[in-house]
Amino acid sequence: MSDNLGTTAPHVSVEPVSVMAPDGTVLDQDFVDTIPEADLVALYEAMLAQRVYDDRMIKMQRQGRLGFYLACTGEEACSYGPAYALQAQDWFYPAYREPGIALWRGMPFQAWIDNMVGNCDDPVKGRQMPVHWTARAQNIVSISSPVGTQIPQCVGSAYAAKLRGDDAVSICFFGEGTSSEGDFHVGLNFAGVWKAPAIFFCRNNGYAISTPYEKTTAAKHIALRAHGYGIRGVVVDGNDILAVIKVVREAAEWGRAGHGATLIEAKTYRIAAHSTSDDPTSYRTREEEAHWGERCPLKRLRAYLETKGLWDEAREQACITASSERVISALGVAEGKPHPDLDTVFDDVFAERPAHLQAQYSELKAHLASGQSAYKPK
Amino acid sequence: MSDNLGTTAPHVSVEPVSVMAPDGTVLDQDFVDTIPEADLVALYEAMLAQRVYDDRMIKMQRQGRLGFYLACTGEEACSYGPAYALQAQDWFYPAYREPGIALWRGMPFQAWIDNMVGNCDDPVKGRQMPVHWTARAQNIVSISSPVGTQIPQCVGSAYAAKLRGDDAVSICFFGEGTSSEGDFHVGLNFAGVWKAPAIFFCRNNGYAISTPYEKTTAAKHIALRAHGYGIRGVVVDGNDILAVIKVVREAAEWGRAGHGATLIEAKTYRIAAHSTSDDPTSYRTREEEAHWGERCPLKRLRAYLETKGLWDEAREQACITASSERVISALGVAEGKPHPDLDTVFDDVFAERPAHLQAQYSELKAHLASGQSAYKPK
Amino acid sequence: MAKMNIIQAVNDALHLAMKSDDNVVVLGEDVGKFGGVFRATVGLQAEFGEDRVIDTPLAEAGIIGAAIGMALYGVKAVAEIQFSDFIFPAYDQIVNELAKYRYRSGGEYPCPMVIRTPVGGGIRGGHYHSQSPESLFVHHAGLVVVAPSNPYDAKGLLLAAIDSPDPVMVLEPKRIYRGPDHGKNWGSHPKGEVPEAHFTVPIGKAAIARELTGEGTPVTIITYGAMVHTCGKAAEEAAKEGIDVELVDLRSLQPYDLDAIVASASKTGRVVIANEAPRMCGYAAEMSAVVTEHCFDWLEAPVTRVTGYDTPFPYTLEFAYLPDTGRVLKALRDVATYA
Amino acid sequence: MAKMNIIQAVNDALHLAMKSDDNVVVLGEDVGKFGGVFRATVGLQAEFGEDRVIDTPLAEAGIIGAAIGMALYGVKAVAEIQFSDFIFPAYDQIVNELAKYRYRSGGEYPCPMVIRTPVGGGIRGGHYHSQSPESLFVHHAGLVVVAPSNPYDAKGLLLAAIDSPDPVMVLEPKRIYRGPDHGKNWGSHPKGEVPEAHFTVPIGKAAIARELTGEGTPVTIITYGAMVHTCGKAAEEAAKEGIDVELVDLRSLQPYDLDAIVASASKTGRVVIANEAPRMCGYAAEMSAVVTEHCFDWLEAPVTRVTGYDTPFPYTLEFAYLPDTGRVLKALRDVATYA
Ligand SMILES: Cc1ncc(C[n+]2csc(CCOP(=O)(O)OP(=O)(O)O)c2C)c(N)n1
Ligand SMILES: Cc1ncc(C[n+]2csc(CCOP(=O)(O)OP(=O)(O)O)c2C)c(N)n1
Ligand SMILES: [Mg+2]
Ligand SMILES: [Mg+2]
């Protein structure tokens, strides 16, 4: 336990927490020792697989097989780390760049892919764009496009758990761009007053689409804002998955101990484009991208595992091949499934379908049957 | 100039700035000397008059002569101080508890009273509740009931002035309760990025209606939030008008010098009820009220003026009597004036009255003429 | 049965709900120690504690956002927004999040919670203490919206809202909180009699606040909230002139009781719709369109709206602005004599 | 004249306005270096500098709030909201502040500024990149709301908006940004010809996008934005079946062109109203009510709405959800054959 946690008075620190240097050298062996080697390997494999999924999916989107995709390339540690650090009863509010939350916590891979396609088995029933999945069984809350809205919601869940006497913390993910929204402020302030066991995980990846950090805020660090809410504030090297695990664990302990919330700022970099709708060449340099490419979280963990003899090029290639096959095959399966049923347009608006929606449903059904609709069911 | 201003790197300080102790003892003679004695007397007279207006108006409201009133009792220094400290070209966004902005800057007293009554000469044409005046000639922006909305607007004006090369700062007033709204965050963050010559004046009077500071935020000071926006942050004794003048002047110099915004937190106390719709007896103690009553800004300045021989009980009584007569007579005049014309309902929705509003106007006019309306013009 | 005004009925409903279910939480600005600016939550914090009756910071987005999070987790939040004019900082949370949660999560995350908020004019509140925002919420699918017009319905609808699996907005007409006549007199009103036990008023069902007598030209009025009383008075006046009004009190705005509307409109063929909100794209517009679509062949006169004007809400001239008995009466005469 | 699509027309209008008046400022998320996610502001920052073409922090309330402050001070801000689905964090600033400033200040503080935002579906955006929020702004008095359906109007209305003394919202139908046929083909459309100089399209005036030919049963369609093209195609189909459509492209939603509506509806007696937004309390409801109120004696059939359904906006089934040519055609047949 860091001395940052030794007291119940929240503390704000902007010295980035790191466990490994960019070249994989261990800076905090004690912490590394808390994580079984098998887990380190599993985490690396999962991040590498994610990299492969992301690359594949972007290609598929270019081929017109997906409507949209958004990768977490370079930021894998910021979702696999927290997913690993927290417990089954904890609640997650991911943004759109945290696939690791889903996949590490056990959302079925095929369901995740079905969401990318929006087919009849998509957990959200084809209602949202790709990358907006949900996983109730894993306490992972439905992803929203509007950014920041989930921050006060996460505080509500954290408070509810506390009220019920449950030992659960709630964590919310968002980018540094999102931290400019009013909901950020409102949520963190409520969390402070309520001493809610919440963790606010800000991925500072340098950009909000094209907008660089300097145009997002004049604050040196987002974590400094913790001062204004009377909660803990921590900066972490977001490309160091072990450091991420460490700070999330500490934040969870702090919350479970009844001390309240923590704002974590993870410094990382969005190596990929914002999404398949974006082209970063117009707003940043190739040098900058290359610089961060070198510091990517996979390289770092791999270097460590290799020194320990836990990883090698053969395993690397095997993992890449297996992941690639896995995603291609799942995508093929997903593409083979039909569209969600017409009912899905009118269901789940309310618990029961009211008369006016039943009437609209009948009207639309007749329209499709007439053969005059622009929509062709699949 | 305090060393707080000696550098261009914004600094956050939570040591309350004070110029006079609560008993009137001077702590910073150099600063006192920058203010002509005549001005000190004028400021005291204005604050005392304000106290009288507020007391009278509350009585009038109880007698049913006003629909609503809201006093600034105990917080007079927080509007008369900034009004004095700033310049003619500066822009003001008052909340509802800053009459000093209007009256010190020269809004005609009768117009201010006409607003309380909502008569035909009310500058807002009887469209808003009392205490929601406007004074374009003084660069004082229209008061809104929704709290916090003016904070980003103030940043817009500050930016506009900078863009035009005008030497104007913009100042926005709000309570500590209001600092919980999203607009607070959004506005201060924009100001930071834009280095806008804005001053955010937070009157921390301990309550948001019945909600005490501890339920508003877990932050020790609102001023700490400046850390999160890369702007200056200052705490001031809000019952010390000279200290208020000092920090506002410094903030204005900082802004005019191109360094950007300042968040000022003025620690004060709302001695009166929130408004004539409120009764504080259920949520706070008489002792607390008495404690702060002793520390009121009028007592403090009066003590100083008396030591200097600039004030005495005779002048006190004369001022009270004159102010009382002034407000009673103005209120009588205001009550004698007719209601705003029916046109005022349909004017100013747009620059020109469109056809549908003209039709609605004609309809209403006919209705009134029919004698069947619930409304009786005065 | 007990005599209650709307505030007491709301307070009583909250009290019952909190007592019977530990899972119910009340939150909002000044709802705790103070009991709310309209006193609707008085006594709750003393009885149920600060953890369940929460004085929140001043931030509507936080109140609704946090209540959503509670709902997702399984706690039933009843949030108060002090005045509906101040609900807009939470508009995004309500329309993009609350309304859409169940749908966008494929049914995995329903979001049952309640928002209570006082609406409407008539209390000398001017611009920002008088608005009627119902159509702005009805337009977004996913929100149940109800608007009681009396103490009985206020209690029964609020309890139904708390029991509902959907998010429900309860729009409380503040001008009749303490009585329908200039804020007085629930005592003598039949709907001022309210059972003390738990009961619900079904969501989606209108009430007939005045039935046809069979004497005179039949006309339907469709309305809700405080306007039920304005229209009721107009109906009494109109009766003297040979106009026989069936007064439909919608009670639920989303979903609404199409059967009741069609039954009345097709019977009378003459329809007046009244609401306080501005005309353009207000709830009355929807009712007008619906009546035309479903009852065209029965219509003897154009469906006619009596509404607030398309201006912000004024202060001094409030009672000129607000649709009053005289304006409803004029509309009744117009449709009754239309030929 | 030049060939332009809507994006180019918008870009051209902004360019002209900024060039002729130093006082015009553009702000929004990603509008500067990147030129906007739809590329509407491309090149402006390079030409007019970072002070006048501002990449803001990600906060819609800040964009609109700051633009209001600029307007009060005398600077003309043209704010972009990246998608209208994301406008709701700024809803309070728009409806409680911007809309009411002139009124609540007794005319002392007019607030002329422009909000541009892409609206509507058809681009595979699902829930949160497809909404059509017009009625939510029209309901609040004080906001001018326009909705161009082609490049010519897009440029002319935007320039009129920038010249206007009132706050104006320009709702840009994103699905036809680059062409009316599945996002292609402004090239061959007559309104793809746009004058290069400054010109304005008058606010408050509708256009007749298709005139009656005199052959067949006359029917009026009232619509705007992208639906003008869906309806235009339906009108062509309908002509083959003996239905003769007068297609009213409203262009301005607030204020709207009552004369044009009444002229057409009273001529044809049969009216279809089409909009993409959900039905309940949508803009079509207002048009339906208005037509009934003003043209009742001429109506041969119930005024009929073709709208989005009262559900959130789906992704995979988007083209089932969106009102299409077939649905408009069905409505045309229904009203044309009504007896
Ligand atoms: C309220 C809202 N406004 C605008 C957008 C459009 N948008 C989507 S992502 C994004 C940038 C987010 O940046 P950041 O929070 O830093 O997250 P990152 O994408 O870098 O992970 C924007 C502006 C949105 N989704 N929601
Ligand atoms: C957006 C909004 N929500 C709620 C209110 C109701 N209200 C009016 S004043 C007030 C308390 C404000 O407290 P604070 O900001 O501390 O200012 P003070 O009254 O203490 O000067 C509240 C909740 C409002 N005016 N606006
Ligand atoms: Mg980012
Ligand atoms: Mg206060």
Side-chain angles (χ1 to χ4, degrees):
Chain A
M1 191 90 313
S2 91
D3 54 24
N4 194 2
L5 267 168
T7 151
T8 56
H11 182 87
V12 180
S13 149
V14 296
E15 232 1 275
V17 173
S18 35
V19 170
M20 273 187 226
D23 64 2
T25 317
V26 171
L27 306 170
D28 181 350
Q29 188 65 50
D30 285 355
F31 184 77
V32 176
D33 293 344
T34 67
I35 305 196
E37 284 188 341
D39 289 2
L40 289 176
V41 173
L43 283 166
Y44 179 72
E45 277 180 322
M47 292 199 293
L48 180 57
Q50 186 63 51
R51 183 70 59 93
V52 173
Y53 305 154
D54 281 354
D55 289 348
R56 271 282 147 210
M57 229 85 93
I58 289 173
K59 290 209 185 81
M60 307 281 197
Q61 197 276 341
R62 288 216 187 95
Q63 294 162 14
R65 290 171 65 189
L66 289 179
F68 173 84
Y69 192 70
L70 183 152
C72 71
T73 305
E75 304 177 62
E76 293 87 350
C78 292
S79 61
Y80 284 90
Y84 178 79
L86 295 177
Q87 301 175 9
Q89 77 278 18
D90 295 329
W91 275 55
F92 287 74
Y93 287 82
Y96 43 66
R97 218 182 288 282
E98 285 83 19
I101 304 300
L103 298 180
W104 187 267
R105 281 177 74 86
M107 178 179 182
F109 188 70
Q110 187 63 48
W112 188 70
I113 296 287
D114 287 340
N115 169 255
M116 303 301 161
V117 171
N119 62 30
C120 64
D121 288 339
D122 171 10
V124 312
K125 303 185 186 165
R127 291 172 183 150
Q128 294 206 72
M129 289 172 75
V131 199
H132 290 74
W133 36 272
T134 176
R136 184 66 193 82
Q138 283 76 33
N139 291 345
I140 308 176
V141 178
S142 155
I143 296 175
S144 185
S145 304
V147 299
T149 50
Q150 299 198 315
I151 301 174
Q153 295 168 15
C154 171
V155 178
S157 293
Y159 183 84
K162 181 171 151 170
L163 185 73
R164 290 258 189 97
D166 297 346
D167 189 36
V169 303
S170 295
I171 185 168
C172 184
F173 296 82
F174 51 89
E176 86 298 339
T178 299
S179 75
S180 303
E181 288 283 5
D183 277 351
F184 167 91
H185 173 68
V186 161
L188 271 69
N189 191 48
F190 270 59
V193 179
W194 291 357
K195 276 193 182 282
I199 305 175
F200 305 106
F201 194 99
C202 178
R203 276 183 302 92
N204 185 346
N205 63 6
Y207 289 87
I209 307 185
S210 73
T211 309
Y213 185 73
E214 317 82 76
K215 300 217 160 166
T216 279
T217 185
K220 286 247 170 51
H221 309 278
I222 299 293
L224 284 170
R225 296 206 181 136
H227 282 298
Y229 310 114
I231 64 173
R232 277 181 79 234
V234 185
V235 174
V236 65
D237 180 339
N239 287 7
D240 176 349
I241 189 168
L242 298 180
V244 170
I245 292 170
K246 184 176 179 202
V247 298
V248 173
R249 271 197 193 159
E250 286 176 357
E253 285 175 42
W254 179 260
R256 290 190 222 282
H259 301 320
T262 301
L263 169 60
I264 296 172
E265 177 182 4
K267 307 272 193 190
T268 179
Y269 188 80
R270 196 195 74 210
I271 290 180
H274 170 72
S275 73
T276 50
S277 313
D278 175 44
D279 170 14
T281 54
S282 69
Y283 57 80
R284 64 187 193 188
T285 64
R286 302 302 71 72
E287 293 68 44
E288 182 183 288
E289 290 169 359
H291 168 79
W292 281 93
E294 278 315 302
R295 301 173 62 94
C296 114
L298 273 67
K299 288 217 169 86
R300 189 175 309 198
L301 185 54
R302 179 180 177 178
Y304 174 76
L305 294 179
E306 288 189 349
T307 1
K308 289 280 177 184
L310 296 167
W311 197 255
D312 57 27
E313 183 58 22
R315 294 189 68 167
E316 180 90 2
Q317 288 311 323
C319 177
I320 290 174
T321 308
S323 307
S324 184
E325 281 167 6
R326 188 177 185 216
V327 66
I328 289 170
S329 125
L331 205 66
V333 171
E335 286 172 333
K337 295 182 184 181
H339 281 176
D341 198 81
L342 194 63
D343 285 275
T344 62
V345 175
F346 300 93
D347 283 341
D348 297 328
V349 180
F350 298 102
E352 282 173 39
R353 196 187 288 173
H356 70 283
L357 286 183
Q358 184 56 31
Q360 293 181 8
Y361 168 73
S362 304
E363 180 192 311
L364 179 53
K365 201 160 169 182
H367 179 47
L368 293 188
S370 76
Q372 301 262 339
S373 171
Y375 167 71
K376 302 300 160 216
K378 174 187 150 184
Chain B
M1 192 88 316
S2 90
D3 54 22
N4 194 1
L5 266 168
T7 149
T8 57
H11 182 85
V12 180
S13 151
V14 295
E15 234 358 275
V17 174
S18 36
V19 169
M20 272 188 225
D23 65 0
T25 318
V26 171
L27 306 170
D28 181 350
Q29 189 65 52
D30 285 355
F31 184 77
V32 176
D33 292 343
T34 66
I35 305 194
E37 286 188 338
D39 289 1
L40 288 176
V41 173
L43 283 166
Y44 179 72
E45 277 181 323
M47 292 199 292
L48 179 58
Q50 187 62 51
R51 182 70 58 95
V52 173
Y53 305 154
D54 282 354
D55 290 347
R56 270 281 148 212
M57 229 84 92
I58 289 172
K59 290 209 186 83
M60 306 282 197
Q61 197 277 341
R62 290 215 187 96
Q63 295 162 13
R65 290 171 65 189
L66 289 178
F68 172 85
Y69 192 70
L70 184 152
C72 72
T73 305
E75 303 177 62
E76 293 87 351
C78 291
S79 61
Y80 284 90
Y84 177 79
L86 295 177
Q87 299 175 10
Q89 77 278 17
D90 296 329
W91 274 56
F92 287 74
Y93 287 81
Y96 43 66
R97 218 180 289 283
E98 284 82 19
I101 304 300
L103 299 181
W104 186 268
R105 279 176 76 86
M107 178 181 181
F109 188 71
Q110 187 63 47
W112 188 71
I113 295 287
D114 288 339
N115 168 256
M116 302 301 161
V117 171
N119 61 29
C120 65
D121 287 339
D122 171 12
V124 312
K125 303 184 187 166
R127 292 174 183 146
Q128 294 205 73
M129 288 172 75
V131 196
H132 291 73
W133 37 272
T134 176
R136 183 68 193 85
Q138 284 77 31
N139 292 344
I140 308 176
V141 178
S142 155
I143 296 175
S144 185
S145 304
V147 300
T149 49
Q150 298 197 317
I151 301 175
Q153 295 167 14
C154 170
V155 178
S157 293
Y159 183 85
K162 182 171 150 169
L163 185 74
R164 290 259 189 96
D166 296 346
D167 190 35
V169 302
S170 295
I171 185 167
C172 185
F173 296 81
F174 51 90
E176 87 297 339
T178 299
S179 75
S180 302
E181 289 282 5
D183 277 350
F184 168 90
H185 174 68
V186 160
L188 270 69
N189 191 47
F190 270 59
V193 179
W194 290 357
K195 276 195 183 279
I199 305 174
F200 305 106
F201 194 99
C202 178
R203 275 183 302 93
N204 185 346
N205 63 5
Y207 290 87
I209 308 187
S210 73
T211 308
Y213 185 73
E214 317 82 75
K215 302 219 159 168
T216 278
T217 186
K220 286 247 170 52
H221 309 278
I222 299 294
L224 284 171
R225 297 208 179 132
H227 282 297
Y229 309 115
I231 64 173
R232 278 181 80 233
V234 185
V235 174
V236 66
D237 181 338
N239 288 6
D240 176 349
I241 189 169
L242 298 181
V244 170
I245 292 169
K246 182 173 181 207
V247 298
V248 173
R249 269 196 194 160
E250 285 177 357
E253 284 176 41
W254 179 260
R256 290 189 222 282
H259 302 320
T262 301
L263 168 60
I264 296 172
E265 177 183 4
K267 308 271 194 191
T268 179
Y269 189 80
R270 196 197 75 209
I271 290 179
H274 171 74
S275 73
T276 50
S277 314
D278 176 44
D279 170 14
T281 54
S282 68
Y283 57 79
R284 64 185 194 190
T285 64
R286 302 301 74 70
E287 293 68 43
E288 182 182 289
E289 290 170 358
H291 168 80
W292 281 92
E294 278 314 301
R295 300 172 63 91
C296 114
L298 273 65
K299 290 215 167 87
R300 190 175 310 198
L301 186 54
R302 181 179 176 180
Y304 175 76
L305 294 180
E306 287 189 349
T307 0
K308 288 281 176 181
L310 295 167
W311 197 258
D312 56 29
E313 183 59 24
R315 293 190 69 169
E316 180 89 3
Q317 289 311 325
C319 177
I320 290 173
T321 309
S323 306
S324 184
E325 280 166 7
R326 188 174 184 218
V327 65
I328 289 169
S329 122
L331 203 65
V333 171
E335 287 172 331
K337 296 182 183 180
H339 281 177
D341 197 80
L342 194 62
D343 284 276
T344 61
V345 175
F346 301 93
D347 282 341
D348 296 329
V349 179
F350 298 102
E352 282 173 37
R353 196 186 289 175
H356 70 285
L357 286 183
Q358 184 56 33
Q360 294 181 7
Y361 168 73
S362 303
E363 181 192 310
L364 179 53
K365 201 160 170 181
H367 179 47
L368 292 190
S370 76
Q372 302 262 337
S373 171
Y375 167 71
K376 304 297 160 218
K378 174 188 149 183
Chain C
M1 296 285 238
K3 297 247 174 240
M4 293 185 195
N5 64 30
I6 292 182
I7 287 291
Q8 290 161 334
V10 166
N11 187 266
D12 189 47
L14 292 172
H15 194 271
L16 278 177
M18 296 197 78
K19 192 147 188 165
S20 67
D21 184 356
D22 278 357
N23 214 30
V24 176
V25 158
V26 164
L27 76 167
E29 292 156 14
D30 306 296
V31 299
K33 207 162 181 185
F34 192 50
V37 298
F38 287 102
R39 331 296 295 138
T41 55
V42 155
L44 297 177
Q45 192 180 71
E47 180 155 354
F48 302 107
E50 291 196 18
D51 289 349
R52 289 180 61 207
V53 183
I54 309 167
D55 280 315
T56 66
L58 206 184
E60 292 74 14
I63 296 170
I64 303 301
I68 291 173
M70 294 181 195
L72 298 173
Y73 196 87
V75 163
K76 175 76 79 167
V78 183
E80 174 177 304
I81 298 294
Q82 208 162 74
F83 285 84
S84 67
D85 312 68
F86 304 140
I87 204 167
F88 301 125
Y91 194 69
D92 190 45
Q93 285 286 350
I94 298 173
V95 307
N96 262 342
E97 297 288 314
L98 181 59
K100 298 181 172 59
Y101 243 109
R102 182 190 287 272
Y103 195 84
R104 80 161 193 236
S105 67
E108 284 197 346
Y109 284 99
C111 205
M113 57 167 278
V114 179
I115 302 174
R116 294 178 39 246
T117 190
V119 300
I123 61 147
R124 314 265 309 128
H127 246 56
Y128 292 116
H129 297 80
S130 308
Q131 296 176 51
S132 297
E134 57 274 14
S135 72
L136 308 166
F137 296 102
V138 167
H139 186 56
H140 293 275
L143 300 167
V144 171
V145 181
V146 301
S149 69
N150 58 62
Y152 181 92
D153 288 348
K155 179 170 173 185
L157 285 171
L158 180 50
L159 286 170
I162 295 172
D163 289 351
S164 170
D166 293 311
V168 184
M169 298 187 68
V170 185
L171 307 181
E172 300 172 356
K174 66 175 98 75
R175 108 165 102 121
I176 57 166
Y177 265 154
R178 295 193 163 77
D181 299 323
H182 304 285
K184 290 198 202 80
N185 260 343
W186 281 117
S188 58
H189 194 282
K191 294 287 181 180
E193 293 280 345
V194 183
E196 275 157 284
H198 184 284
F199 71 98
T200 59
V201 165
I203 287 171
K205 291 278 165 263
I208 303 302
R210 182 183 194 280
E211 298 192 358
L212 290 180
T213 62
E215 320 248 322
T217 313
V219 178
T220 297
I221 302 183
I222 301 171
T223 189
Y224 51 91
M227 284 299 290
V228 169
H229 303 281
T230 309
C231 291
K233 270 184 239 147
E236 295 315 312
E237 291 294 314
K240 300 179 200 157
E241 303 178 15
I243 298 172
D244 189 18
V245 170
E246 180 157 276
L247 181 55
V248 180
D249 176 356
L250 286 173
R251 300 198 294 196
S252 284
L253 308 184
Q254 167 76 289
Y256 59 86
D257 191 343
L258 181 62
D259 293 344
I261 293 165
V262 171
S264 185
S266 56
K267 194 163 52 186
T268 63
R270 299 175 193 270
V271 182
V272 168
I273 301 163
N275 72 208
E276 252 184 67
R279 186 164 310 175
M280 283 188 77
C281 297
Y283 197 76
E286 179 62 28
M287 289 297 104
S288 173
V290 160
V291 169
T292 298
E293 281 156 7
H294 289 86
C295 310
F296 186 72
D297 288 344
W298 287 273
L299 289 182
E300 309 273 357
V303 183
T304 296
R305 291 181 286 176
V306 180
T307 68
Y309 296 112
D310 288 311
T311 75
F313 201 103
Y315 171 73
T316 308
L317 301 189
E318 163 164 37
F319 293 102
Y321 175 90
L322 270 179
D324 57 17
T325 307
R327 283 178 59 205
V328 177
L329 195 55
K330 174 165 186 314
L332 288 172
R333 287 184 195 128
D334 287 349
V335 301
T337 59
Y338 193 87
Chain D
M1 296 284 240
K3 296 249 175 240
M4 292 185 196
N5 64 30
I6 293 181
I7 288 291
Q8 291 162 333
V10 166
N11 187 266
D12 189 48
L14 292 173
H15 194 271
L16 278 177
M18 295 196 79
K19 193 148 186 162
S20 68
D21 184 357
D22 278 357
N23 213 32
V24 176
V25 159
V26 164
L27 77 167
E29 293 155 15
D30 305 296
V31 298
K33 206 160 180 187
F34 192 51
V37 297
F38 287 103
R39 332 296 294 136
T41 54
V42 156
L44 298 178
Q45 192 179 72
E47 180 155 354
F48 303 107
E50 293 196 16
D51 289 349
R52 288 181 61 207
V53 183
I54 309 166
D55 280 315
T56 66
L58 205 183
E60 292 74 12
I63 296 169
I64 304 301
I68 290 172
M70 292 182 196
L72 298 174
Y73 196 87
V75 163
K76 175 75 78 166
V78 183
E80 175 177 303
I81 298 294
Q82 209 163 73
F83 285 85
S84 66
D85 311 68
F86 305 139
I87 204 167
F88 301 125
Y91 194 68
D92 190 47
Q93 285 286 351
I94 298 172
V95 307
N96 261 343
E97 296 288 314
L98 181 59
K100 299 181 171 60
Y101 242 111
R102 182 191 288 273
Y103 196 83
R104 79 160 193 236
S105 67
E108 283 197 346
Y109 284 100
C111 204
M113 57 168 278
V114 179
I115 302 175
R116 294 179 37 247
T117 190
V119 300
I123 61 147
R124 315 263 308 126
H127 246 56
Y128 292 117
H129 298 79
S130 307
Q131 296 176 50
S132 297
E134 57 276 14
S135 72
L136 308 167
F137 295 103
V138 167
H139 187 56
H140 292 276
L143 300 166
V144 172
V145 181
V146 301
S149 68
N150 59 62
Y152 182 91
D153 288 348
K155 178 170 174 183
L157 284 171
L158 179 51
L159 286 170
I162 295 172
D163 289 351
S164 171
D166 293 311
V168 184
M169 298 186 69
V170 185
L171 306 181
E172 299 172 357
K174 65 176 100 75
R175 110 165 99 121
I176 57 165
Y177 265 156
R178 295 191 164 80
D181 298 323
H182 304 285
K184 291 197 202 75
N185 258 343
W186 281 117
S188 59
H189 193 283
K191 295 287 181 178
E193 294 278 346
V194 182
E196 277 157 283
H198 184 285
F199 72 97
T200 58
V201 165
I203 287 171
K205 290 275 165 267
I208 303 301
R210 184 185 192 279
E211 296 192 358
L212 290 179
T213 63
E215 318 249 322
T217 313
V219 178
T220 296
I221 302 182
I222 300 171
T223 190
Y224 51 92
M227 285 298 291
V228 169
H229 303 280
T230 310
C231 292
K233 270 184 240 146
E236 294 313 313
E237 291 294 314
K240 300 178 200 156
E241 303 178 15
I243 299 172
D244 190 17
V245 170
E246 180 155 276
L247 180 55
V248 180
D249 176 355
L250 285 173
R251 300 199 294 198
S252 284
L253 308 184
Q254 167 78 288
Y256 59 86
D257 191 343
L258 181 63
D259 293 344
I261 294 165
V262 171
S264 186
S266 56
K267 194 163 51 185
T268 64
R270 300 176 192 269
V271 182
V272 168
I273 300 162
N275 71 208
E276 254 184 64
R279 186 165 310 175
M280 284 189 75
C281 297
Y283 197 76
E286 179 63 27
M287 288 297 103
S288 173
V290 160
V291 169
T292 298
E293 282 157 5
H294 289 87
C295 308
F296 186 72
D297 289 343
W298 286 273
L299 289 182
E300 310 273 357
V303 182
T304 297
R305 290 180 287 175
V306 179
T307 68
Y309 296 113
D310 287 311
T311 76
F313 200 102
Y315 172 72
T316 308
L317 300 189
E318 161 164 39
F319 292 103
Y321 175 91
L322 269 179
D324 56 15
T325 306
R327 283 178 59 205
V328 177
L329 195 54
K330 175 167 186 312
L332 288 172
R333 288 185 195 126
D334 287 350
V335 302
T337 59
Y338 193 88

